Amino acid sequence: MLENLKHATFAKQVNTEFQVHDPAAEFFKLKLARVVKLSQTAQQEAFSLLFHGPATHYIAQGIHKLSHEQLGEIDIFLVPVGKNQDGFEYEAIFNRLAKPRQ
């Protein structure tokens, strides 16, 4: 599954929902609001995912299990980065090798 965690994979899922598996609370959803390309070289790809969550649920920084209809279950390190009247904002940053070095 890790080989599928690419910018292009997530870019196709903007405005879709990911269900959060939080043992301390009821299940709730995060919406993938944006996918931002940070940098890309022949060997490396860096991008960020920005999620919007409800004001009724807050999740702390850490690894969280998310489920998505197309992508299945994914463990992602989420960081809360903001709050507005509609809810909380979270970010996940990926920095991955695009091609194995030889």
Side-chain angles (χ1 to χ4, degrees):
M1 179 60 190
L2 290 177
E3 64 276 359
N4 294 328
L5 300 180
K6 300 176 183 178
H7 177 275
T9 304
F10 287 106
K12 295 175 187 174
Q13 304 306 325
V14 170
N15 292 319
T16 64
E17 294 182 332
F18 289 72
Q19 184 158 334
V20 179
H21 297 265
D22 184 356
E26 296 178 17
F27 289 109
F28 64 97
K29 295 182 180 181
L30 298 177
K31 182 184 229 180
L32 181 57
R34 290 189 306 163
V35 178
V36 179
K37 190 172 280 194
L38 301 174
S39 69
Q40 185 165 355
T41 66
Q43 291 84 25
Q44 185 177 355
E45 175 183 46
F47 61 94
S48 123
L49 307 178
L50 295 161
F51 293 92
H52 180 75
T56 55
H57 291 86
Y58 170 80
I59 52 177
Q61 174 176 306
I63 297 173
H64 297 276
K65 185 175 292 297
L66 305 181
S67 293
H68 186 268
E69 188 176 284
Q70 299 295 319
L71 303 177
E73 286 191 355
I74 308 167
D75 291 326
I76 295 181
F77 190 86
L78 293 174
V79 176
V81 293
K83 182 181 183 206
N84 59 34
Q85 68 273 11
D86 297 324
F88 294 97
E89 302 290 331
Y90 302 93
E91 184 174 31
I93 296 179
F94 289 79
N95 188 8
R96 60 183 300 281
L97 292 176
K99 292 182 180 178
R101 292 184 183 189
Q102 297 182 0

